[in-house]
């Protein structure tokens, strides 16, 4: 990924990007979970702490939507500062199919009926990602590195990668109750393309619903 304008850091600090590795799991999985705790708990049909542990186990598995293999790490002077999980639409489709196999190994069978109901409900809310679109699953900065422009920097990196993949649109989902993320995205010229919810989703997650936000790259 190429670099854009530098974040608000001291002159002695350097910002770099690197692919995540499985050994990042101890800090990266909780940070990824924090991007959408209600959504992960809903998908895994599990309370927050259990869902966080499930995501931790999934993160170290290769070739699926929640894997370290689709994660980029931002570092400040060689210290891990945040992460970005993203992929082109065509890759997302394949990664989503493989995540079901991973979940089948990690989740107890007794949870399967509730998981299927929750996933069916989510399909009524979440929009598909087309092959020409680039999707951001999660973007987050560790607390001690926030308010320095690193979130905007990661979005710029995602847009650069999207263009290199010949994608003309970049998109992501934001829950109604995540006003700070929505505000940041609007500052970066993202727009709400669709907003949806269901009674079940509102009741089970307390997240309101989901905004699909997009930005045209052409």
């Amino acid at each position: 990924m190429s670099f854009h304008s530098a974040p608000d850091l001291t002159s002695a600090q350097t910002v770099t990007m690197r692919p995540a590795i499985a050994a990042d799991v101890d800090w990266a999985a909780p940070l990824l979970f924090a991007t959408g705790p209600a959504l992960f708990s809903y998908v895994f049909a599990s309370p927050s702490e259990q869902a966080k542990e499930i995501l931790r186990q999934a993160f170290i598995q290769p070739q699926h939507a929640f894997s370290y293999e689709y994660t980029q790490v931002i570092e400040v002077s060689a210290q891990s500062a945040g992460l970005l999980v993203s992929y082109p639409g065509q890759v997302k489709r394949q990664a989503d199919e493989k995540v079901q196999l991973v979940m089948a190994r990690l989740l107890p069978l007794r949870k399967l009926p509730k998981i299927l109901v929750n996933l069916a409900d989510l399909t009524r809310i979440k929009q598909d990602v087309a092959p020409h679109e680039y999707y951001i699953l999660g973007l987050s900065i560790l607390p001690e590195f926030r308010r320095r422009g690193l979130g905007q920097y990661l979005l710029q990196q995602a847009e650069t990668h999207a263009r290199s993949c010949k994608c003309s649109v970049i998109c992501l989902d934001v829950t109604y109750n995540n006003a700070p993320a929505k505000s940041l995205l609007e500052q970066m010229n993202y727009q709400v393309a669709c907003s949806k919810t269901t009674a079940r989703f509102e009741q089970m997650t307390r997240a309101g619903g989901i905004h699909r936000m997009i930005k045209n790259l052409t």
Side-chain angles (χ1 to χ4, degrees):
M1 294 183 181
S2 63
F3 289 88
H4 293 263
S5 56
D8 183 18
L9 302 169
T10 67
S11 59
Q13 294 176 304
T14 57
V15 177
T16 54
M17 298 283 292
R18 66 168 174 85
I21 57 175
D24 290 312
V25 63
D26 287 342
W27 69 268
L31 190 60
L32 177 58
F33 183 80
T35 66
L39 281 173
F40 284 117
S41 294
Y42 198 56
V43 169
F44 300 152
S46 301
S48 180
E49 287 306 310
Q50 289 182 21
K52 189 183 296 185
E53 177 57 25
I54 291 166
L55 183 61
R56 185 183 185 283
Q57 294 177 49
F59 183 83
I60 61 176
Q61 305 294 321
Q63 300 180 339
H64 68 93
F66 307 143
S67 173
Y68 72 91
E69 287 194 335
Y70 297 115
T71 303
Q72 292 286 319
V73 173
I74 185 170
E75 294 185 329
V76 175
S77 297
Q79 279 189 280
S80 299
L83 57 77
L84 169 73
V85 183
S86 59
Y87 14 64
Q90 199 66 43
V91 173
K92 181 182 185 301
R93 186 180 299 273
Q94 298 166 1
D96 284 346
E97 291 172 355
K98 291 178 180 177
V99 79
Q100 297 174 24
L101 299 175
V102 173
M103 291 301 106
R105 296 197 299 268
L106 296 179
L107 294 167
L109 286 176
R110 60 182 171 79
K111 288 186 179 289
L112 184 58
K114 189 174 181 181
I115 290 170
L116 292 176
V117 171
N118 289 355
L119 288 176
D121 188 51
L122 270 179
T123 61
R124 303 185 187 101
I125 304 172
K126 296 190 74 173
Q127 305 299 297
D128 289 337
V129 177
H132 72 280
E133 295 179 321
Y134 188 91
Y135 185 74
I136 297 175
L137 173 74
L139 180 158
S140 191
I141 303 298
L142 288 166
E144 60 268 34
F145 291 99
R146 289 175 187 165
R147 301 186 184 280
R148 303 190 194 182
L150 295 176
Q152 294 95 321
Y153 186 75
L154 280 180
L155 283 172
Q156 292 171 336
Q157 297 299 300
E159 291 169 19
T160 296
H161 191 224
R163 289 188 175 94
S164 73
C165 295
K166 309 301 182 185
C167 294
S168 58
V169 174
I170 189 166
C171 61
L172 69 166
D173 294 307
V174 180
T175 54
Y176 290 2
N177 65 348
N178 195 350
K182 183 172 179 287
S183 177
L184 170 63
L185 289 162
E186 288 172 339
Q187 292 174 35
M188 299 287 289
N189 297 317
Y190 286 73
Q191 298 179 331
V192 175
C194 182
S195 300
K196 286 190 176 183
T197 191
T198 65
R200 178 181 176 82
F201 184 81
E202 288 190 68
Q203 180 183 6
M204 298 292 289
T205 68
R206 306 297 182 190
I210 294 176
H211 299 297
R212 169 60 57 88
M213 300 192 69
I214 69 168
K215 180 177 181 178
N216 291 317
L217 299 177
T218 54

